[in-house]
Amino acid sequence: MKTRNLAFIAVSIATLIYGLNYTIAKDVMPTYVKPFAFILLRVSGATIVFWIASLFVKSEKIDKSDFKKIFIASFFGIALNMLAFFKGLSLTTPISASVMMVTSPIMVLIFSSILIKKGIEKQKILGVFIGLIGAILLIIYGSSSNNASTNSNWGNFLVFINAASYGLYLVLAKNLIAKYHPITFIKWLYLFGLILVIPFGFNELQEIEWQKIPENIYWSIGFVVVFTTCITYLFNLYGLSKLKPTTVGVFIYLQPVIATMYALFMGSDSLNLVKISSTLLIFLGVYLVTKRTKK
């Protein structure tokens, strides 16, 4: 029970960081760093960090048959996931992007059912849809911003692709995490991811005018590389090793809540009854999905 609680705490911290990331990353893109260049920086930094970290853990050999599985997990969990998310975020608003991410638990349920023949309890289905209703209410009626972009629909679609990709990654990574040490798994995951994103981000990386970037933007870039990339993936991997993919995926529901709260703290949004009601619905959804059911 204690280990399960630690897993919940780890996933909650990762979710908090993700919630802050929407606004922080949006401040950087596309004015100072274009989306694909940002992803290349993010994945490069994380790859270096995890390979250095691997020097301090016991060496572990990867089965040849698992390299293909890790590569596929990297495609969905690193390359497609991150490229689609940052490109989408650069076109839409942070709150819109955070709410689109709540479709991820739905995808986890679908992929778990298809790939690992996972049964779905009625309580968890109810929790998923209650949380989804709360998130939809939050974005449709809870935003006080009326800014619109001709590319916002495309941006939202890309964030949906990211959410589906992340949901599939959670399912694919479950067995691999149970088999290998988290650092061993994640260093290969990011190395393959780096190979996949280099063709997309190399040209944009060369366009960055480093001397014109303000100091606070450098801090924002550092936050995304260290916290949003390294810390969140480690914490989510730990949570995934102790919890079901569906349970980890449903914490996505908290992201629009955190994104909204951060906007309130920064004075860029206001609170109303719809936002409070949406938040309660989202937390109820998380509770129903994470609560253990009697068999």
Side-chain angles (χ1 to χ4, degrees), residues 43 46-51 53-54 60 62 70 74 78 82 169 176-177 180-194 229-238:
V43 177
T47 302
I48 293 170
V49 168
F50 288 127
W51 274 86
S54 69
E60 195 174 10
I62 303 289
I70 295 174
S74 180
I78 302 294
M82 292 188 181
Y169 158 75
L176 292 167
I177 290 306
Y180 299 106
H181 188 282
I183 296 294
T184 302
F185 169 72
I186 206 168
K187 75 174 186 179
W188 286 105
L189 186 80
Y190 267 94
L191 181 61
F192 288 142
L194 178 60
T229 308
C230 301
I231 301 299
T232 56
Y233 266 73
L234 278 177
F235 280 17
N236 273 333
L237 281 174
Y238 177 75

Side-chain angles (χ1 to χ4, degrees), residues 17-195:
I17 295 171
Y18 277 133
L20 299 179
N21 179 66
Y22 290 97
T23 299
I24 294 173
K26 182 72 175 179
D27 288 341
V28 178
M29 303 181 298
T31 306
Y32 301 103
V33 181
K34 290 183 178 178
F36 292 166
F38 205 170
I39 291 302
L40 183 53
L41 286 174
R42 182 179 175 183
V43 177
S44 299
T47 302
I48 293 170
V49 168
F50 288 127
W51 274 86
I52 292 175
S54 69
L55 299 175
F56 300 93
V57 299
K58 186 178 179 180
S59 179
E60 195 174 10
K61 187 177 181 180
I62 303 289
D63 292 341
K64 288 184 178 180
S65 60
D66 286 336
F67 275 114
K68 181 180 178 180
K69 296 176 182 178
I70 295 174
F71 182 84
I72 294 173
S74 180
F75 174 80
F76 290 106
I78 302 294
L80 181 59
N81 175 23
M82 292 188 181
L83 290 170
F85 174 64
F86 267 41
K87 184 64 175 180
L89 181 60
S90 70
L91 298 173
T92 187
T93 64
I95 294 179
S96 294
S98 68
V99 174
M100 283 302 298
M101 279 298 294
V102 302
T103 57
S104 186
I106 301 291
M107 305 311 294
V108 171
L109 278 172
I110 294 172
F111 291 132
S112 294
S113 178
I114 295 173
L115 297 179
I116 59 179
K117 305 297 187 290
K118 186 78 174 177
I120 305 172
E121 299 96 335
K122 292 181 180 178
Q123 175 186 294
K124 294 186 182 296
I125 295 175
L126 179 63
V128 165
F129 282 102
I130 288 176
L132 184 59
I133 290 170
I136 291 172
L137 285 174
L138 183 64
I139 188 58
I140 295 177
Y141 301 108
S143 178
S144 51
S145 174
N146 295 317
N147 293 332
S149 170
T150 54
N151 292 321
S152 62
N153 289 339
W154 174 239
N156 287 333
F157 176 73
L158 287 174
V159 177
F160 170 76
I161 294 297
N162 155 64
S165 178
Y166 180 74
L168 181 54
Y169 158 75
L170 289 177
V171 177
L172 293 173
K174 178 67 177 177
N175 291 334
L176 292 167
I177 290 306
K179 189 173 182 179
Y180 299 106
H181 188 282
I183 296 294
T184 302
F185 169 72
I186 206 168
K187 75 174 186 179
W188 286 105
L189 186 80
Y190 267 94
L191 181 61
F192 288 142
L194 178 60
I195 294 170

Side-chain angles (χ1 to χ4, degrees), residues 192-210:
F192 288 142
L194 178 60
I195 294 170
L196 288 167
V197 302
I198 283 176
F200 294 91
F202 184 74
N203 288 336
E204 288 189 1
L205 186 67
Q206 292 181 308
E207 296 174 13
I208 299 175
E209 298 182 76
W210 296 101

